Structure formats: structure tokens, C-alpha cells
Amino acid sequence: VQLVESGGGLVQPGGSLRLSCAGSGFTFSRYAMSWYRQAPGKERELVAGISSFGASTNYADSVKGRFTISRDNGQNTVYLQMNSLKPEDTAVYYCRAGTIYWGQGTQVTVSS
């Protein structure tokens, strides 16, 4: 099983990034997918989740209206579109499949 995140980087406040997470080695479409993040010195927190076929999504209050989670089961990929980024969004972002599998994380830094 592999989950590989990509798309992180350095962006100025107010900017946008799109994270991707490609899954392999399991039946992607059977799993709810989610994005978590962990900032230095803080606990890992849920950012957004999406049901197995994308009918249902949920978001942390801190990102509602700015982030959008989506998935493409044909490509075994889940996305996180992040707009209006703030310095407090700086963290390592992880994708998760169900409650079992984690990716290795991708760094997002929001700074001028």
C-alpha cells in the first residue's frame, strides 16, 4: 500500500496550492479519504474528508470556504485545493485512507 502526496511548497499569504495524493496497492474507491496536517509543536489535526464516492465532504472550521477536497477514483487520487492561504496553514499535510493508511506528508509553508 502506498499513498504519495505532492504539490506542497512555499506560497505567499493569499496564494493557492493544490495538493494531490495518489494511492496504490488497495481498492481506492472503497475508502473514505482525508487530509490531515501537523504544524511544529502541535498535534495532527483533520483538515478535510471525503466519502468513498465523493458524495459527502467535511471540513475543519478553520479551512471552511477556503479549502476544497475532491477525488478521482479513476485516477486513484484525492486532491486538496487550498485558496486564500494564511501563515497559520503552514504545516506538513498528510493524506489518509480510511483509518489505516497514511502518506509520508508534504510540506506547505505560507510566508512572505
Side-chain angles (χ1 to χ4, degrees):
V1 172
Q2 266 198 316
L3 291 170
V4 180
E5 298 99 334
S6 61
L10 173 64
V11 63
Q12 292 187 342
S16 297
L17 282 175
R18 188 195 197 201
L19 304 183
S20 300
C21 172
S24 61
F26 64 103
T27 306
F28 186 85
S29 61
R30 291 184 180 177
Y31 285 78
M33 298 295 296
S34 51
W35 286 96
Y36 284 73
R37 67 186 180 188
Q38 188 166 20
K42 294 188 176 181
E43 293 187 355
R44 194 171 295 190
E45 62 174 356
L46 175 66
V47 175
I50 188 167
S51 58
S52 57
F53 286 97
S56 176
T57 58
N58 61 282
Y59 298 92
D61 286 344
S62 59
V63 307
K64 280 181 183 176
R66 300 188 298 122
F67 291 10
T68 302
I69 188 170
S70 62
R71 65 189 296 161
D72 182 342
N73 286 346
Q75 297 295 321
N76 289 353
T77 302
V78 62
Y79 304 97
L80 186 67
Q81 178 67 43
M82 305 186 295
N83 299 328
S84 302
L85 282 160
K86 304 175 181 180
E88 51 263 44
D89 295 317
T90 295
V92 178
Y93 284 71
Y94 300 88
C95 71
R96 187 184 191 191
T99 59
I100 302 174
Y101 306 123
W102 289 93
Q104 83 291 347
T106 186
Q107 176 70 48
V108 172
T109 302
V110 185
S111 175
S112 55

